[in-house]
Amino acid sequence: MEFPELLLRSNLTNAEHPYFRSIIVALVVAVGYATFGKLALVAVSGAGYASPIWPAAGLALAAVLLFGNWVSIGVFIGSYILNVMLGDPFSTNTHFLSFCIAMGATLQAVFGAYLVRRFVGFPTPLDEPGVICRFFLSAGPIASVVSPTVGTAILFAVGKLSIEETAQSWGIWWLGDTLGVIVFAPVVLCLGMKELDFWNRRKGPICISMLITITSAALVFHVAMGLEKDRVALAFQDRAKSVDQLIGRALAEAMNGLHDIQNFVRLSEHITRQEYAFFANSVLGRIDGLHAISLNLRVHEHDKAAFERQMRSTGVPGFKIWEIPSELSGPSPVEAYESVVVSYIEPLESNRPALGLDVASNPTRRAALHTARDTGQPTMTERLTLVQGTREDYGVLVFLPVYNTQTVPSNMADRRSELYGYIVGVFSFGAVIENAMSGTGVDDVDITILDRSAPAETSLLYPKTELPAHLARVRRLESSASGVKDNPWTSSVMIADRAWEIQIRPTPKFNAANRLTTAWFILVGCLIFASVISIVVLIVTGRQRVIEGLVNQRTAELVDKTMHLEHIKTEAERANQAKTDFLASMSHDLRTPLNAILGFTDMMRVGVYGDLGNPKYKGYVEDIHRSGSHLIALIDDILDVSKIEAGKFVLSEDRIQIHPLIQRSMRQLDVIAASSNIRLNARIAPHMQDLWADEKILTQILNNLLSNAVKFTGVDGQVNVSTQTDADDAIVIKVSDTGCGMASDEIARALNAFEQIHNPYVSDVHKGTGLGLHICTQLMDLLGGKLEIESAIGKGTTVTLRFPPKRTIDPIARSDAA
């Protein structure tokens, strides 16, 4: 049965759906679209109007493919509800935007399904790489241009996005829809066509792989986002601390200016208006935001007339003490005797009308004056609206008491009686703060200063007005996108007698410069990887039937080849065993005639039955004897190799004293060594331990090594044999010579059977069978030891025999045995 026929019988086509079921399917799609969309926005909060992955796009496409274009109604409803939930549900603008965006999502799902049916065909098993690529290309990158184009165009038209933001949002929107289709559409198709055996078998691999990749991507994104947010938060904290320090220094400098005027007045015996003007203007010139400084003198009620005449004599004609018109009721009788009069003020011209003002006539300011008088510390009023200068800001008055004494009196009674007057500063904090920030390059934070000692409705000191509510919400969203929390960075500071709070928030410039771009790039990379995994899983699972057939075919072929190779291996092992058995069993038959030949030629050499006569016969006999000896040595080596390979070499182990054994082996070569003036040296370690081994094997090994050493050592050379016990209590025997040596590549060859090393320093007479070192190596293996060779051309050769520690017999045990 063909795949399309199976799909028709699966009751998934809209032609066989009853009316009620169609409504249920549309509602399920609507709920699913809204749910997936909400989850995507929650998972990637702060992404703006678009998300880098939009699973709802994959759900919408798969639903239209499975059930037909009519189900796009559910896509429209789900998208519309989702966008209304994200905005103000009571706003007509929200409903208009939601309608337009929902139309874009619906058109995209229908357009993507059309492209799939037109260029891929549906239903399709998606089991060929070409078909899979056409499916995702049509439904993903191509079809996904519809929704972002419609959505960003509407948002730009209503002013929600700038030109730059429109391009950025379109790219993220398009990427999110594309990845949503590639990653989630296959999962929905698997679940939707579960009645088909072929797709049902793919459900597990596809769903599990997507679950793992998406979960991994989410975890990686969460970790990266956390690190990025920590980085941005730390950067903002550092910026806020530096700004707070600048503001603190500016406020401290402003207060120090008042203290400078206080010290000037305190140290002056008689103040002239010119001196005061010079000193006050010097302070005003260095402190921006300090609009005026006045010296307000204390005047008793009975001294007012004399005081007015004195002030007129200082160059202020018409000086007269006056009270604030709104305070015509005057001070209380208890305090009627005392006024605080503005006597000196700078700058004079702009503040001349204030001369003569009785500041104490205002009950609020009178309370502040009395607090400063009684405490000896500066006091500050609540905020005032200032009109000095070219800007309108909130400001305050600061009252700094001045006494007739050089220092502040120690008790309240003396402070009241010795009061001379007050230094009054008029501050505009907008100018103070902006002057402190000018030239620093810090323009990416908002500063708010609150007077926590004042009622909440009058606590704002700077700025003059707060952000509108909707702009404040935008700022909070931008801060969240950059990783800075909604709560501002705050610090508390005491200015005079007021508790101020400095709040610092990031501006759009800071947020734009500290976007969490790295985390987003990581997320997009992970999602692209998930998309690749989705395609690969579809290809792998789609080709499962072909692969299963190929696997079965190749398995059968492999079984046949394996059986054939096993047969060949068995035959080869049987032939090799037959060869080994033949050589081992022929030992007696090969050696018997050779022994006879050697015996007879030896009798002829010594003349047991008389002289041979012709001298040439004697030379022939010598040649026959030498050739026979060489042949029997070769046969012995071959038989030893065969025995070892056949596993018939039996060890006869006993205690061996190493020193005598070495001496016997060296004596056998004395004559040959003496003929070339080669010295044989033995260096035996004192108190050398015994060795548990086969004496015949050890003798054969030493004879072979000493014979090779003599053969490959030139005239006047040396052959040395040394013994020692290493740190592991293992016996080590070394045979070294000063001969021609071997190259590094020749050492490995020398250990192989029938390999002969050709060296220009060695004549042909030194050539042997090529089995000596090979046999020594195998014999050492039988003893559990190791044979190692170190050699270099022209520097000789050293052969090391290293026996296992278990073969070392303790001296105490040897003495006991003795």
Side-chain angles (χ1 to χ4, degrees):
M1 187 176 296
E2 295 298 327
F3 185 82
E5 184 179 354
L6 283 173
L7 183 62
L8 290 173
R9 295 183 59 183
S10 64
N11 293 326
L12 291 177
T13 59
N14 59 339
E16 300 182 10
H17 286 168
Y19 179 75
F20 179 75
R21 185 180 180 188
S22 300
I23 296 176
I24 296 299
V25 170
L27 291 177
V28 169
V29 171
V31 173
Y33 191 99
T35 302
F36 280 122
K38 183 64 176 178
L39 290 176
L41 292 176
V42 170
V44 292
S45 58
Y49 291 100
S51 170
I53 184 168
W54 195 247
L59 171 66
L61 172 72
V64 174
L65 285 173
L66 290 171
F67 302 105
N69 292 341
W70 64 269
V71 83
S72 60
I73 298 174
V75 176
F76 177 85
I77 295 173
S79 178
Y80 181 83
I81 293 174
L82 173 63
N83 285 280
V84 169
M85 290 168 51
L86 296 177
D88 182 3
F90 302 103
S91 170
T92 304
N93 190 38
T94 298
H95 286 275
F96 172 73
L97 289 176
S98 301
F99 178 86
C100 295
I101 293 174
M103 283 298 299
T106 304
L107 291 175
Q108 176 173 294
V110 174
F111 181 58
Y114 165 77
L115 292 178
V116 171
R117 295 189 183 103
R118 175 68 176 81
F119 296 103
V120 181
F122 194 85
T124 174
L126 292 180
D127 58 353
E128 294 292 339
V131 175
I132 294 173
C133 290
R134 289 200 306 273
F135 175 85
F136 285 122
L137 183 64
S138 301
I142 296 177
S144 294
V145 302
V146 176
S147 182
T149 301
V150 173
T152 55
I154 295 299
L155 291 171
F156 174 74
V158 300
K160 292 289 186 179
L161 295 176
S162 64
I163 296 178
E164 295 79 8
E165 291 172 334
T166 299
Q168 180 182 8
S169 294
W170 190 96
I172 297 176
W173 200 323
W174 173 82
L175 180 64
D177 283 5
T178 299
L179 294 178
V181 168
I182 295 175
V183 174
F184 290 95
V187 177
V188 178
L189 289 175
C190 283
L191 298 176
M193 293 192 287
K194 61 183 180 180
E195 297 180 15
L196 302 178
D197 180 65
F198 176 66
W199 277 95
N200 195 39
R201 284 186 292 142
R202 306 171 82 180
K203 179 174 62 177
I206 292 177
C207 294
I208 292 175
S209 62
M210 287 303 98
L211 177 63
I212 293 175
T213 53
I214 294 301
T215 302
S216 301
L219 291 176
V220 172
F221 173 70
H222 178 73
V223 173
M225 181 65 76
L227 295 176
E228 279 261 85
K229 285 186 175 181
D230 290 343
R231 176 187 63 80
V232 175
L234 183 61
F236 175 70
Q237 183 179 2
D238 292 340
R239 177 59 54 86
K241 286 182 178 179
S242 64
V243 170
D244 179 65
Q245 292 173 357
L246 290 172
I247 295 174
R249 285 197 294 268
L251 294 176
E253 184 178 357
M255 294 300 296
N256 288 337
L258 294 185
H259 284 286
D260 291 342
I261 298 294
Q262 181 192 43
N263 293 331
F264 163 72
V265 173
R266 181 186 298 164
L267 298 175
S268 299
E269 295 181 1
H270 176 71
I271 300 174
T272 66
R273 198 165 295 280
Q274 292 75 15
E275 291 174 343
Y276 180 83
F278 175 80
F279 201 87
N281 283 315
S282 67
V283 174
L284 290 169
R286 74 170 191 265
I287 302 175
D288 288 337
L290 182 56
H291 288 292
I293 303 177
S294 66
L295 173 58
N296 301 356
L297 298 180
R298 175 186 183 187
V299 180
H300 292 279
E301 182 69 23
H302 55 82
D303 293 332
K304 285 185 177 181
F307 182 78
E308 290 175 344
R309 290 192 298 272
Q310 178 186 355
M311 289 295 102
R312 294 189 191 107
S313 67
T314 61
V316 185
F319 183 92
K320 185 176 180 59
I321 299 174
W322 58 281
E323 297 178 354
I324 299 175
S326 61
E327 302 291 335
L328 295 178
S329 59
S332 62
V334 178
E335 299 173 343
Y337 69 90
E338 183 174 273
S339 297
V340 177
V341 180
V342 178
S343 306
Y344 300 86
I345 189 169
E346 292 295 333
L348 179 60
E349 293 306 320
S350 58
N351 294 284
R352 186 179 293 273
L355 288 173
L357 171 64
D358 183 0
V359 180
S361 62
N362 180 288
T364 301
R365 298 182 185 181
R366 183 168 64 247
L369 291 169
H370 289 175
T371 300
R373 176 198 65 190
D374 293 343
T375 61
Q377 299 297 323
T379 59
M380 184 181 296
T381 64
E382 294 183 10
R383 76 181 190 190
L384 304 170
T385 300
L386 304 179
V387 295
Q388 285 93 338
T390 59
R391 52 187 290 165
E392 183 175 337
D393 285 320
Y394 286 136
V396 294
L397 299 180
V398 178
F399 302 109
L400 186 61
V402 181
Y403 299 94
N404 292 314
T405 58
Q406 294 297 317
T407 59
V408 177
S410 58
N411 58 72
M412 184 179 299
D414 290 343
R415 286 195 288 269
R416 290 182 174 181
S417 62
E418 294 296 334
L419 180 68
Y420 176 69
Y422 300 88
I423 303 297
V424 181
V426 182
F427 288 97
S428 168
F429 289 104
V432 172
I433 293 171
E434 291 171 13
N435 177 66
M437 302 304 297
S438 64
T440 63
V442 179
D443 57 353
D444 54 2
V445 293
D446 282 335
I447 302 168
T448 301
I449 298 181
L450 302 175
D451 184 358
R452 291 305 185 189
S453 301
E457 60 272 12
T458 60
S459 63
L460 179 65
L461 297 176
Y462 179 83
K464 183 69 165 53
T465 57
E466 295 186 274
L467 280 176
H470 70 282
L471 291 180
R473 180 177 181 272
V474 172
R475 289 287 181 86
R476 288 195 296 271
L477 291 175
E478 291 174 343
S479 299
S480 176
S482 68
V484 181
K485 296 181 178 179
D486 292 345
N487 297 330
W489 189 93
T490 62
S491 67
S492 298
V493 60
M494 289 296 298
I495 301 295
D497 61 335
R498 313 292 291 188
W500 285 7
E501 180 177 285
I502 300 174
Q503 298 181 352
I504 300 175
R505 293 177 176 85
T507 65
K509 182 176 181 180
F510 180 90
N511 295 330
N514 292 275
R515 293 285 182 185
L516 306 177
T517 52
T518 301
W520 291 115
F521 280 129
I522 291 175
L523 176 60
V524 170
C526 292
L527 295 176
I528 292 175
F529 175 75
S531 302
V532 174
I533 292 296
S534 175
I535 296 173
V536 171
V537 171
L538 278 177
I539 293 175
V540 172
T541 57
R543 301 286 293 175
Q544 182 177 358
R545 291 174 296 179
V546 178
I547 293 174
E548 287 178 353
L550 290 175
V551 168
N552 293 334
Q553 178 184 351
R554 296 294 174 83
T555 301
E557 294 175 356
L558 184 60
V559 170
D560 293 340
K561 289 181 179 180
T562 302
M563 294 178 62
H564 181 65
L565 291 175
E566 287 289 342
H567 177 71
I568 294 174
K569 178 183 177 183
T570 301
E571 292 296 326
E573 290 177 347
R574 185 181 296 112
N576 184 63
Q577 187 63 38
K579 180 265 297 182
T580 302
D581 293 341
F582 171 77
L583 290 176
S585 63
M586 289 297 293
S587 173
H588 181 268
D589 295 337
L590 290 174
R591 293 177 60 88
T592 298
L594 283 174
N595 286 331
I597 293 172
L598 291 176
F600 289 140
T601 54
D602 195 43
M603 292 175 61
M604 296 171 67
R605 287 169 56 204
V606 298
V608 174
Y609 296 108
D611 193 5
L612 294 176
N614 194 323
K616 290 185 177 181
Y617 290 149
K618 188 172 183 180
Y620 294 157
V621 170
E622 291 290 341
D623 292 339
I624 294 171
H625 190 274
R626 184 166 53 252
S627 298
S629 299
H630 179 74
L631 183 58
I632 198 168
L634 175 61
I635 291 173
D636 287 341
D637 288 343
I638 293 175
L639 291 176
D640 286 342
V641 172
S642 299
K643 287 180 180 179
I644 295 173
E645 291 180 351
K648 295 183 178 181
F649 205 104
V650 181
L651 296 176
S652 178
E653 297 179 316
D654 200 352
R655 183 193 307 274
I656 301 174
Q657 295 186 12
I658 298 176
H659 189 193
L661 181 67
I662 293 175
Q663 293 294 337
R664 288 195 297 270
S665 296
M666 294 177 66
R667 281 196 296 270
Q668 294 181 14
L669 295 171
D670 281 344
V671 176
I672 298 176
S675 64
S676 298
N677 197 27
I678 297 174
R679 296 189 300 277
L680 301 178
N681 304 315
R683 297 185 179 91
I684 310 299
H687 310 293
M688 191 64 196
Q689 295 167 298
D690 290 348
L691 180 67
W692 184 264
D694 189 317
E695 184 172 355
K696 178 181 177 182
I697 288 178
L698 187 57
T699 301
Q700 183 177 354
I701 294 172
L702 287 174
N703 288 342
N704 273 330
L705 297 181
L706 288 170
S707 176
N708 284 342
V710 172
K711 286 181 181 180
F712 288 91
T713 300
V715 178
D716 297 328
Q718 293 186 35
V719 175
N720 301 312
V721 182
S722 63
T723 64
Q724 65 182 37
T725 304
D726 65 9
D728 296 330
D729 202 29
I731 293 177
V732 179
I733 301 175
K734 292 187 177 182
V735 178
S736 59
D737 61 63
T738 59
C740 57
M742 293 181 289
S744 58
D745 60 328
E746 293 176 326
I747 295 176
R749 289 171 47 205
L751 295 174
N752 294 331
F754 302 106
E755 285 280 355
Q756 295 181 349
I757 304 304
H758 300 281
N759 194 299
Y761 298 104
V762 181
S763 63
D764 291 341
V765 298
H766 290 158
K767 291 183 178 180
T769 63
L771 288 172
L773 286 176
H774 178 70
I775 292 175
C776 290
T777 302
Q778 290 189 317
L779 292 177
M780 284 299 293
D781 290 341
L782 287 176
L783 296 175
K786 182 183 293 186
L787 184 147
E788 299 173 346
I789 299 178
E790 297 178 8
S791 184
I793 296 295
K795 295 185 179 180
T797 301
T798 298
V799 181
T800 302
L801 304 177
R802 190 180 306 276
F803 297 90
K806 65 181 181 179
R807 291 189 173 275
T808 302
I809 301 179
D810 191 79
I812 298 177
R814 185 175 65 185
S815 63
D816 292 343

